[in-house]
Amino acid sequence: MPITETVPHSVEWNETYITVLDQRKLPLETIFVELHSIKDVWDAIVTLKVRGAPVIGITAAYGLALAASRYEAESIEEFQQLLEKDREYLASSRPTAVNLFWALNRLSTSVKGVTSVNEAKTTLIHEAICIQVEDEDTCRQIGEHGLSLFSSGDKVLTICNAGSIATARYGTALAPFYLAKERNIPLKVFASETRPVLQGARLTTWELLQAGIDVTLITDNMAAHTIKAKEISAIIAGADRIAANGDTANKIGTFGLAVLAKHFDIPFYVAAPLSTFDPSLPNGEAIPIEERKAEEVTRLNGIQIAPPDVHVFNPAFDVTPNELITAIITEKGILRENYSEEIQQLFR
Ligand code: MRU
């Protein structure tokens, strides 16, 4: 079996429902749940059953196509009105990962010139499937470009989960490791646990171990010491939104790792598809940062670990300024000079 097929698809279209891997239950249980309504899809995204920028977009696209397949609209105008309402509803699930809005807008645009309700329904389903199929290819390209930056024996630190289950397959930041494994290039991955909800400890280690990739888990506060003690050669992270100047929002803690990379004079890479870029925002200041429930911080695996009434600040993401990013790895190649100009060229 090819390496990447050791990790299951985290989302699957089944005509009348969507199946998703419940990422909250990993690694203790590998449970797939069925989403039968748009409310199920919204809820799965909000509660992190489905998480990771590209797969949030894919799931939302299927959710919109599923909802639209049931409209009893008598005219295309009525269909478009219902679609817009549902698009807005799904878009309200999470604010930071731009792939969500990108995928929903792509679906709306796909039916702009369509004149019959039936054709619109099949067009939406087709478009959602295309988004998933294209994402797999995109991630493999990111993996190819990313791998060109690493050498045999490198030790690479990553944060959160920007892996296969966060995308259609391969992942973004983890894609180079899958390709290295396929080609017998030894790389060592260090995964930062990623408080508060432990995507690194629960998800990155789970999927890399299944593929036989050498992965070592550390807690977040061990990063500086580990970079020094284990001679980490590079840091690689995914992204949730990249502004026009290259400033990058990703899981909380990423900015701190980029500062450490500068201190230790090692490269800090961001890996992301073009669907994660938001050239409409001039810089990272304009990226909306999601704040989540206090319980994610005061509880660990359902167990209270802090006084329940303590004040909590729980931002889910931070923004790494472009000057701390050595290169941005995309499916179209590696950006590493003047991000503003290179991003403008990519979207011209
Ligand atoms: O809150 P999450 O788990 O959805 O945050 C995910 C991340 O920050 C990932 O690094 C990012 O979405 C890239 S996934 C390929």
Short mmCIF file of all heavy atoms in Angstrom, two decimals, residues 101-168:
data_model
loop_
_atom_site.label_atom_id
_atom_site.label_comp_id
_atom_site.label_asym_id
_atom_site.label_seq_id
_atom_site.Cartn_x
_atom_site.Cartn_y
_atom_site.Cartn_z
N PHE A 101 -14.10 30.44 3.06
CA PHE A 101 -14.80 31.44 2.23
C PHE A 101 -14.45 31.22 0.76
O PHE A 101 -15.29 31.38 -0.11
CB PHE A 101 -14.41 32.85 2.69
CG PHE A 101 -14.47 32.98 4.19
CD1 PHE A 101 -13.32 32.99 4.96
CD2 PHE A 101 -15.70 33.00 4.84
CE1 PHE A 101 -13.37 33.05 6.34
CE2 PHE A 101 -15.77 33.05 6.23
CZ PHE A 101 -14.60 33.08 6.98
N TRP A 102 -13.20 30.84 0.52
CA TRP A 102 -12.74 30.58 -0.85
C TRP A 102 -13.59 29.46 -1.47
O TRP A 102 -14.07 29.58 -2.60
CB TRP A 102 -11.25 30.19 -0.82
CG TRP A 102 -10.72 29.69 -2.10
CD1 TRP A 102 -10.23 30.44 -3.14
CD2 TRP A 102 -10.62 28.33 -2.52
NE1 TRP A 102 -9.83 29.62 -4.17
CE2 TRP A 102 -10.06 28.32 -3.82
CE3 TRP A 102 -10.94 27.11 -1.93
CZ2 TRP A 102 -9.82 27.15 -4.53
CZ3 TRP A 102 -10.70 25.94 -2.63
CH2 TRP A 102 -10.15 25.96 -3.91
N ALA A 103 -13.78 28.37 -0.73
CA ALA A 103 -14.52 27.21 -1.27
C ALA A 103 -15.99 27.56 -1.47
O ALA A 103 -16.59 27.23 -2.51
CB ALA A 103 -14.36 26.01 -0.34
N LEU A 104 -16.58 28.26 -0.49
CA LEU A 104 -18.00 28.61 -0.60
C LEU A 104 -18.22 29.58 -1.77
O LEU A 104 -19.18 29.43 -2.53
CB LEU A 104 -18.50 29.23 0.71
CG LEU A 104 -18.56 28.27 1.91
CD1 LEU A 104 -18.85 29.03 3.20
CD2 LEU A 104 -19.63 27.19 1.69
N ASN A 105 -17.29 30.53 -1.92
CA ASN A 105 -17.43 31.49 -3.03
C ASN A 105 -17.25 30.78 -4.37
O ASN A 105 -17.92 31.10 -5.35
CB ASN A 105 -16.41 32.62 -2.92
CG ASN A 105 -16.75 33.53 -1.75
OD1 ASN A 105 -17.88 33.51 -1.26
ND2 ASN A 105 -15.78 34.29 -1.27
N ARG A 106 -16.36 29.80 -4.38
CA ARG A 106 -16.13 29.07 -5.63
C ARG A 106 -17.42 28.34 -6.04
O ARG A 106 -17.77 28.31 -7.22
CB ARG A 106 -14.97 28.08 -5.43
CG ARG A 106 -14.51 27.49 -6.72
CD ARG A 106 -13.20 26.76 -6.59
NE ARG A 106 -13.25 25.63 -7.52
CZ ARG A 106 -12.24 24.83 -7.76
NH1 ARG A 106 -11.10 24.98 -7.14
NH2 ARG A 106 -12.38 23.82 -8.62
N LEU A 107 -18.13 27.79 -5.05
CA LEU A 107 -19.39 27.12 -5.38
C LEU A 107 -20.43 28.12 -5.90
O LEU A 107 -21.08 27.88 -6.93
CB LEU A 107 -19.93 26.36 -4.16
CG LEU A 107 -19.73 24.84 -4.28
CD1 LEU A 107 -18.25 24.49 -4.23
CD2 LEU A 107 -20.51 24.08 -3.25
N SER A 108 -20.57 29.25 -5.19
CA SER A 108 -21.56 30.26 -5.62
C SER A 108 -21.25 30.71 -7.04
O SER A 108 -22.15 30.83 -7.88
CB SER A 108 -21.52 31.50 -4.74
OG SER A 108 -21.73 31.15 -3.42
N THR A 109 -19.97 30.96 -7.32
CA THR A 109 -19.58 31.45 -8.65
C THR A 109 -19.88 30.41 -9.72
O THR A 109 -20.26 30.76 -10.84
CB THR A 109 -18.06 31.80 -8.65
OG1 THR A 109 -17.83 32.67 -7.55
CG2 THR A 109 -17.62 32.45 -9.94
N SER A 110 -19.73 29.13 -9.37
CA SER A 110 -19.90 28.07 -10.37
C SER A 110 -21.33 28.03 -10.95
O SER A 110 -21.54 27.52 -12.03
CB SER A 110 -19.53 26.70 -9.78
OG SER A 110 -20.54 26.26 -8.90
N VAL A 111 -22.30 28.57 -10.20
CA VAL A 111 -23.69 28.52 -10.69
C VAL A 111 -24.21 29.89 -11.13
O VAL A 111 -25.42 30.05 -11.37
CB VAL A 111 -24.66 27.88 -9.66
CG1 VAL A 111 -24.34 26.40 -9.50
CG2 VAL A 111 -24.60 28.58 -8.30
N LYS A 112 -23.30 30.85 -11.25
CA LYS A 112 -23.74 32.22 -11.59
C LYS A 112 -24.50 32.29 -12.93
O LYS A 112 -25.57 32.85 -13.01
CB LYS A 112 -22.53 33.17 -11.64
CG LYS A 112 -22.15 33.70 -10.28
CD LYS A 112 -23.11 34.80 -9.82
CE LYS A 112 -22.79 35.40 -8.49
NZ LYS A 112 -22.93 34.56 -7.30
N GLY A 113 -23.97 31.61 -13.96
CA GLY A 113 -24.65 31.74 -15.25
C GLY A 113 -25.66 30.63 -15.53
O GLY A 113 -26.24 30.57 -16.63
N VAL A 114 -25.91 29.77 -14.55
CA VAL A 114 -26.75 28.59 -14.78
C VAL A 114 -28.23 28.99 -14.78
O VAL A 114 -28.66 29.81 -13.97
CB VAL A 114 -26.44 27.53 -13.68
CG1 VAL A 114 -27.43 26.39 -13.73
CG2 VAL A 114 -25.02 27.02 -13.85
N THR A 115 -29.02 28.39 -15.70
CA THR A 115 -30.41 28.85 -15.83
C THR A 115 -31.44 27.87 -15.27
O THR A 115 -32.58 28.24 -15.04
CB THR A 115 -30.73 29.13 -17.32
OG1 THR A 115 -30.27 28.02 -18.08
CG2 THR A 115 -30.06 30.41 -17.80
N SER A 116 -31.04 26.59 -15.05
CA SER A 116 -32.05 25.68 -14.51
C SER A 116 -31.64 25.17 -13.12
O SER A 116 -30.44 25.03 -12.82
CB SER A 116 -32.27 24.49 -15.46
OG SER A 116 -31.48 23.39 -15.05
N VAL A 117 -32.64 24.93 -12.28
CA VAL A 117 -32.40 24.50 -10.91
C VAL A 117 -31.66 23.16 -10.89
O VAL A 117 -30.70 22.96 -10.12
CB VAL A 117 -33.74 24.43 -10.14
CG1 VAL A 117 -33.60 23.70 -8.82
CG2 VAL A 117 -34.29 25.84 -9.94
N ASN A 118 -32.07 22.23 -11.73
CA ASN A 118 -31.42 20.92 -11.74
C ASN A 118 -29.95 21.00 -12.14
O ASN A 118 -29.09 20.36 -11.55
CB ASN A 118 -32.15 19.95 -12.69
CG ASN A 118 -33.35 19.35 -11.98
OD1 ASN A 118 -33.44 19.44 -10.75
ND2 ASN A 118 -34.27 18.81 -12.75
N GLU A 119 -29.69 21.82 -13.15
CA GLU A 119 -28.30 21.98 -13.58
C GLU A 119 -27.47 22.61 -12.46
O GLU A 119 -26.32 22.22 -12.22
CB GLU A 119 -28.25 22.85 -14.85
CG GLU A 119 -26.87 22.85 -15.49
CD GLU A 119 -26.71 23.95 -16.54
OE1 GLU A 119 -27.72 24.45 -17.06
OE2 GLU A 119 -25.55 24.30 -16.81
N ALA A 120 -28.06 23.57 -11.76
CA ALA A 120 -27.34 24.22 -10.66
C ALA A 120 -26.99 23.19 -9.57
O ALA A 120 -25.88 23.19 -9.03
CB ALA A 120 -28.19 25.34 -10.07
N LYS A 121 -27.93 22.29 -9.28
CA LYS A 121 -27.66 21.29 -8.23
C LYS A 121 -26.49 20.40 -8.61
O LYS A 121 -25.59 20.15 -7.80
CB LYS A 121 -28.92 20.42 -8.00
CG LYS A 121 -30.03 21.20 -7.31
CD LYS A 121 -31.25 20.32 -7.08
CE LYS A 121 -32.34 21.13 -6.37
NZ LYS A 121 -33.56 20.37 -6.11
N THR A 122 -26.49 19.91 -9.87
CA THR A 122 -25.39 19.01 -10.27
C THR A 122 -24.07 19.78 -10.41
O THR A 122 -23.00 19.25 -10.08
CB THR A 122 -25.69 18.26 -11.58
OG1 THR A 122 -26.17 19.20 -12.53
CG2 THR A 122 -26.71 17.18 -11.41
N THR A 123 -24.15 21.04 -10.82
CA THR A 123 -22.92 21.85 -10.95
C THR A 123 -22.26 22.02 -9.58
O THR A 123 -21.03 21.91 -9.44
CB THR A 123 -23.26 23.24 -11.54
OG1 THR A 123 -23.85 23.04 -12.82
CG2 THR A 123 -22.03 24.12 -11.67
N LEU A 124 -23.07 22.27 -8.55
CA LEU A 124 -22.49 22.48 -7.21
C LEU A 124 -21.80 21.22 -6.71
O LEU A 124 -20.70 21.29 -6.14
CB LEU A 124 -23.60 22.89 -6.22
CG LEU A 124 -24.16 24.30 -6.42
CD1 LEU A 124 -25.37 24.52 -5.51
CD2 LEU A 124 -23.10 25.36 -6.14
N ILE A 125 -22.43 20.07 -6.94
CA ILE A 125 -21.82 18.81 -6.48
C ILE A 125 -20.49 18.59 -7.23
O ILE A 125 -19.46 18.26 -6.62
CB ILE A 125 -22.78 17.62 -6.69
CG1 ILE A 125 -24.00 17.79 -5.78
CG2 ILE A 125 -22.08 16.28 -6.42
CD1 ILE A 125 -25.15 16.84 -6.06
N HIS A 126 -20.54 18.82 -8.53
CA HIS A 126 -19.33 18.63 -9.35
C HIS A 126 -18.21 19.55 -8.85
O HIS A 126 -17.06 19.13 -8.70
CB HIS A 126 -19.67 18.92 -10.81
CG HIS A 126 -18.49 18.90 -11.71
ND1 HIS A 126 -17.90 17.74 -12.13
CD2 HIS A 126 -17.76 19.91 -12.23
CE1 HIS A 126 -16.86 18.03 -12.88
NE2 HIS A 126 -16.75 19.33 -12.96
N GLU A 127 -18.55 20.80 -8.58
CA GLU A 127 -17.54 21.77 -8.15
C GLU A 127 -16.93 21.36 -6.80
O GLU A 127 -15.70 21.46 -6.60
CB GLU A 127 -18.20 23.16 -8.03
CG GLU A 127 -17.23 24.30 -7.96
CD GLU A 127 -16.42 24.53 -9.24
OE1 GLU A 127 -16.81 24.01 -10.31
OE2 GLU A 127 -15.39 25.22 -9.16
N ALA A 128 -17.76 20.88 -5.88
CA ALA A 128 -17.25 20.47 -4.56
C ALA A 128 -16.30 19.28 -4.71
O ALA A 128 -15.23 19.24 -4.09
CB ALA A 128 -18.41 20.13 -3.63
N ILE A 129 -16.67 18.33 -5.57
CA ILE A 129 -15.79 17.17 -5.80
C ILE A 129 -14.46 17.64 -6.41
O ILE A 129 -13.39 17.20 -6.00
CB ILE A 129 -16.48 16.12 -6.71
CG1 ILE A 129 -17.67 15.49 -5.95
CG2 ILE A 129 -15.50 15.04 -7.16
CD1 ILE A 129 -18.58 14.61 -6.79
N CYS A 130 -14.54 18.58 -7.36
CA CYS A 130 -13.31 19.12 -7.98
C CYS A 130 -12.40 19.73 -6.92
O CYS A 130 -11.18 19.56 -6.97
CB CYS A 130 -13.63 20.20 -8.99
SG CYS A 130 -14.21 19.55 -10.53
N ILE A 131 -12.98 20.46 -5.97
CA ILE A 131 -12.16 21.10 -4.94
C ILE A 131 -11.36 20.04 -4.18
O ILE A 131 -10.17 20.19 -3.94
CB ILE A 131 -13.03 21.96 -3.99
CG1 ILE A 131 -13.54 23.20 -4.73
CG2 ILE A 131 -12.27 22.37 -2.73
CD1 ILE A 131 -14.52 24.06 -3.94
N GLN A 132 -12.02 18.94 -3.84
CA GLN A 132 -11.31 17.89 -3.10
C GLN A 132 -10.24 17.22 -3.97
O GLN A 132 -9.11 17.01 -3.53
CB GLN A 132 -12.30 16.83 -2.58
CG GLN A 132 -11.61 15.80 -1.71
CD GLN A 132 -12.57 14.85 -1.01
OE1 GLN A 132 -13.69 14.63 -1.48
NE2 GLN A 132 -12.13 14.29 0.10
N VAL A 133 -10.60 16.89 -5.21
CA VAL A 133 -9.65 16.21 -6.10
C VAL A 133 -8.42 17.11 -6.35
O VAL A 133 -7.28 16.67 -6.26
CB VAL A 133 -10.34 15.82 -7.43
CG1 VAL A 133 -9.34 15.33 -8.45
CG2 VAL A 133 -11.42 14.76 -7.18
N GLU A 134 -8.68 18.38 -6.63
CA GLU A 134 -7.58 19.31 -6.92
C GLU A 134 -6.68 19.47 -5.69
O GLU A 134 -5.47 19.63 -5.82
CB GLU A 134 -8.13 20.70 -7.29
CG GLU A 134 -8.73 20.74 -8.67
CD GLU A 134 -9.52 22.04 -8.90
OE1 GLU A 134 -9.31 23.04 -8.18
OE2 GLU A 134 -10.37 22.02 -9.82
N ASP A 135 -7.29 19.46 -4.49
CA ASP A 135 -6.49 19.69 -3.28
C ASP A 135 -5.44 18.59 -3.10
O ASP A 135 -4.33 18.85 -2.64
CB ASP A 135 -7.39 19.80 -2.05
CG ASP A 135 -6.62 20.25 -0.82
OD1 ASP A 135 -6.03 21.35 -0.87
OD2 ASP A 135 -6.55 19.49 0.17
N GLU A 136 -5.80 17.36 -3.46
CA GLU A 136 -4.83 16.26 -3.32
C GLU A 136 -3.62 16.52 -4.21
O GLU A 136 -2.46 16.39 -3.79
CB GLU A 136 -5.51 14.93 -3.67
CG GLU A 136 -4.55 13.77 -3.55
CD GLU A 136 -5.22 12.41 -3.50
OE1 GLU A 136 -6.42 12.33 -3.16
OE2 GLU A 136 -4.53 11.42 -3.78
N ASP A 137 -3.89 16.93 -5.43
CA ASP A 137 -2.81 17.20 -6.37
C ASP A 137 -1.98 18.40 -5.89
O ASP A 137 -0.74 18.38 -5.92
CB ASP A 137 -3.47 17.51 -7.73
CG ASP A 137 -2.46 17.49 -8.83
OD1 ASP A 137 -1.65 16.54 -8.86
OD2 ASP A 137 -2.42 18.45 -9.62
N THR A 138 -2.68 19.43 -5.43
CA THR A 138 -2.01 20.63 -4.91
C THR A 138 -1.06 20.28 -3.78
O THR A 138 0.09 20.73 -3.73
CB THR A 138 -3.10 21.60 -4.39
OG1 THR A 138 -3.85 22.04 -5.51
CG2 THR A 138 -2.53 22.79 -3.68
N CYS A 139 -1.54 19.45 -2.85
CA CYS A 139 -0.72 19.10 -1.68
C CYS A 139 0.50 18.29 -2.10
O CYS A 139 1.59 18.45 -1.54
CB CYS A 139 -1.55 18.35 -0.63
SG CYS A 139 -2.74 19.42 0.19
N ARG A 140 0.33 17.44 -3.10
CA ARG A 140 1.49 16.67 -3.56
C ARG A 140 2.54 17.61 -4.16
O ARG A 140 3.73 17.46 -3.92
CB ARG A 140 1.05 15.61 -4.58
CG ARG A 140 2.15 14.62 -4.77
CD ARG A 140 1.81 13.30 -5.42
NE ARG A 140 3.09 12.66 -5.67
CZ ARG A 140 3.60 11.67 -4.98
NH1 ARG A 140 2.92 11.11 -4.01
NH2 ARG A 140 4.80 11.19 -5.24
N GLN A 141 2.08 18.61 -4.89
CA GLN A 141 3.02 19.60 -5.46
C GLN A 141 3.73 20.37 -4.34
O GLN A 141 4.93 20.62 -4.42
CB GLN A 141 2.28 20.63 -6.34
CG GLN A 141 1.66 20.07 -7.61
CD GLN A 141 2.69 19.38 -8.48
OE1 GLN A 141 3.82 19.84 -8.59
NE2 GLN A 141 2.32 18.25 -9.05
N ILE A 142 2.98 20.73 -3.31
CA ILE A 142 3.59 21.43 -2.16
C ILE A 142 4.67 20.52 -1.54
O ILE A 142 5.76 20.96 -1.20
CB ILE A 142 2.52 21.83 -1.12
CG1 ILE A 142 1.63 22.94 -1.68
CG2 ILE A 142 3.15 22.26 0.20
CD1 ILE A 142 0.42 23.30 -0.82
N GLY A 143 4.34 19.24 -1.46
CA GLY A 143 5.29 18.27 -0.91
C GLY A 143 6.57 18.21 -1.73
O GLY A 143 7.68 18.19 -1.19
N GLU A 144 6.41 18.22 -3.05
CA GLU A 144 7.59 18.17 -3.95
C GLU A 144 8.47 19.39 -3.72
O GLU A 144 9.67 19.28 -3.54
CB GLU A 144 7.17 18.15 -5.43
CG GLU A 144 6.47 16.89 -5.90
CD GLU A 144 7.43 15.71 -6.07
OE1 GLU A 144 8.65 15.87 -5.87
OE2 GLU A 144 6.92 14.61 -6.37
N HIS A 145 7.85 20.57 -3.74
CA HIS A 145 8.64 21.79 -3.57
C HIS A 145 9.25 21.83 -2.16
O HIS A 145 10.41 22.22 -1.99
CB HIS A 145 7.77 23.03 -3.79
CG HIS A 145 7.29 23.16 -5.20
ND1 HIS A 145 8.14 23.25 -6.27
CD2 HIS A 145 6.04 23.20 -5.74
CE1 HIS A 145 7.45 23.35 -7.39
NE2 HIS A 145 6.17 23.32 -7.10
N GLY A 146 8.46 21.41 -1.17
CA GLY A 146 8.95 21.44 0.21
C GLY A 146 10.14 20.51 0.40
O GLY A 146 11.13 20.87 1.04
N LEU A 147 10.05 19.34 -0.20
CA LEU A 147 11.12 18.35 -0.03
C LEU A 147 12.45 18.87 -0.59
O LEU A 147 13.51 18.53 -0.07
CB LEU A 147 10.71 17.03 -0.69
CG LEU A 147 11.63 15.84 -0.44
CD1 LEU A 147 11.86 15.59 1.04
CD2 LEU A 147 11.06 14.58 -1.10
N SER A 148 12.37 19.71 -1.61
CA SER A 148 13.60 20.24 -2.20
C SER A 148 14.38 21.11 -1.21
O SER A 148 15.55 21.41 -1.42
CB SER A 148 13.29 21.03 -3.48
OG SER A 148 12.70 22.27 -3.13
N LEU A 149 13.73 21.52 -0.12
CA LEU A 149 14.39 22.37 0.87
C LEU A 149 15.08 21.57 1.98
O LEU A 149 15.78 22.13 2.82
CB LEU A 149 13.36 23.32 1.51
CG LEU A 149 12.68 24.30 0.55
CD1 LEU A 149 11.50 24.99 1.24
CD2 LEU A 149 13.68 25.34 0.06
N PHE A 150 14.81 20.25 2.00
CA PHE A 150 15.37 19.43 3.08
C PHE A 150 16.45 18.49 2.55
O PHE A 150 16.44 18.09 1.38
CB PHE A 150 14.26 18.60 3.75
CG PHE A 150 13.19 19.45 4.39
CD1 PHE A 150 11.85 19.20 4.16
CD2 PHE A 150 13.54 20.50 5.23
CE1 PHE A 150 10.86 19.99 4.74
CE2 PHE A 150 12.57 21.29 5.82
CZ PHE A 150 11.23 21.04 5.57
N SER A 151 17.35 18.08 3.47
CA SER A 151 18.39 17.12 3.11
C SER A 151 18.26 15.91 4.01
O SER A 151 17.75 16.02 5.15
CB SER A 151 19.78 17.71 3.34
OG SER A 151 19.88 18.94 2.72
N SER A 152 18.75 14.80 3.52
CA SER A 152 18.73 13.55 4.27
C SER A 152 19.27 13.79 5.69
O SER A 152 20.32 14.43 5.85
CB SER A 152 19.61 12.55 3.50
OG SER A 152 19.75 11.40 4.25
N GLY A 153 18.54 13.28 6.68
CA GLY A 153 19.00 13.41 8.07
C GLY A 153 18.51 14.67 8.77
O GLY A 153 18.73 14.83 9.98
N ASP A 154 17.84 15.57 8.04
CA ASP A 154 17.35 16.80 8.68
C ASP A 154 16.35 16.48 9.79
O ASP A 154 15.58 15.53 9.71
CB ASP A 154 16.65 17.71 7.64
CG ASP A 154 17.63 18.64 6.95
OD1 ASP A 154 18.84 18.63 7.30
OD2 ASP A 154 17.20 19.37 6.04
N LYS A 155 16.39 17.35 10.81
CA LYS A 155 15.42 17.24 11.91
C LYS A 155 14.54 18.48 11.83
O LYS A 155 15.05 19.60 11.90
CB LYS A 155 16.14 17.20 13.24
CG LYS A 155 17.05 16.00 13.39
CD LYS A 155 17.90 16.18 14.63
CE LYS A 155 18.90 15.04 14.74
NZ LYS A 155 19.91 15.34 15.76
N VAL A 156 13.25 18.26 11.67
CA VAL A 156 12.36 19.38 11.36
C VAL A 156 11.23 19.46 12.39
O VAL A 156 10.56 18.46 12.66
CB VAL A 156 11.75 19.20 9.94
CG1 VAL A 156 10.95 20.43 9.56
CG2 VAL A 156 12.85 18.95 8.90
N LEU A 157 11.05 20.65 12.93
CA LEU A 157 10.00 20.86 13.93
C LEU A 157 8.75 21.39 13.26
O LEU A 157 8.82 22.25 12.38
CB LEU A 157 10.51 21.87 14.97
CG LEU A 157 9.55 22.34 16.07
CD1 LEU A 157 9.10 21.18 16.95
CD2 LEU A 157 10.22 23.41 16.94
N THR A 158 7.58 20.87 13.67
CA THR A 158 6.32 21.38 13.13
C THR A 158 5.34 21.61 14.28
O THR A 158 5.56 21.13 15.39
CB THR A 158 5.75 20.43 12.06
OG1 THR A 158 4.63 21.06 11.43
CG2 THR A 158 5.30 19.10 12.63
N ILE A 159 4.27 22.34 13.99
CA ILE A 159 3.26 22.66 15.01
C ILE A 159 1.89 22.35 14.46
O ILE A 159 1.68 22.34 13.24
CB ILE A 159 3.36 24.16 15.42
CG1 ILE A 159 2.32 24.48 16.53
CG2 ILE A 159 3.20 25.09 14.24
CD1 ILE A 159 2.52 25.84 17.19
N CYS A 160 0.94 22.08 15.34
CA CYS A 160 -0.45 21.79 14.97
C CYS A 160 -0.50 20.56 14.07
O CYS A 160 0.37 19.68 14.13
CB CYS A 160 -1.08 23.01 14.32
SG CYS A 160 -2.89 22.92 14.23
N ASN A 161 -1.51 20.47 13.24
CA ASN A 161 -1.59 19.39 12.26
C ASN A 161 -1.91 20.01 10.91
O ASN A 161 -3.03 20.47 10.68
CB ASN A 161 -2.65 18.35 12.63
CG ASN A 161 -2.83 17.34 11.51
OD1 ASN A 161 -3.69 17.53 10.64
ND2 ASN A 161 -2.01 16.32 11.47
N ALA A 162 -0.90 20.04 10.06
CA ALA A 162 -1.10 20.48 8.68
C ALA A 162 -0.83 19.28 7.81
O ALA A 162 -0.02 19.29 6.89
CB ALA A 162 -0.16 21.64 8.36
N GLY A 163 -1.54 18.19 8.14
CA GLY A 163 -1.25 16.91 7.52
C GLY A 163 -2.35 16.40 6.62
O GLY A 163 -3.25 17.15 6.20
N SER A 164 -2.28 15.11 6.34
CA SER A 164 -3.21 14.47 5.43
C SER A 164 -4.67 14.70 5.84
O SER A 164 -5.52 15.02 5.00
CB SER A 164 -2.89 12.97 5.37
OG SER A 164 -3.49 12.41 4.26
N ILE A 165 -4.95 14.56 7.13
CA ILE A 165 -6.35 14.66 7.56
C ILE A 165 -6.85 16.11 7.59
O ILE A 165 -8.05 16.34 7.74
CB ILE A 165 -6.59 13.99 8.94
CG1 ILE A 165 -5.68 14.59 10.02
CG2 ILE A 165 -6.41 12.48 8.84
CD1 ILE A 165 -5.99 14.08 11.42
N ALA A 166 -5.94 17.06 7.43
CA ALA A 166 -6.35 18.48 7.36
C ALA A 166 -6.56 18.92 5.92
O ALA A 166 -6.89 20.09 5.67
CB ALA A 166 -5.28 19.35 8.03
N THR A 167 -6.37 18.01 4.99
CA THR A 167 -6.45 18.31 3.55
C THR A 167 -7.13 17.12 2.86
O THR A 167 -7.60 16.20 3.52
CB THR A 167 -5.03 18.48 2.96
OG1 THR A 167 -4.33 17.23 3.13
CG2 THR A 167 -4.24 19.58 3.64
N ALA A 168 -7.10 17.14 1.51
CA ALA A 168 -7.65 15.97 0.81
C ALA A 168 -6.71 14.77 0.97
O ALA A 168 -7.15 13.62 1.05
CB ALA A 168 -7.81 16.29 -0.67
#
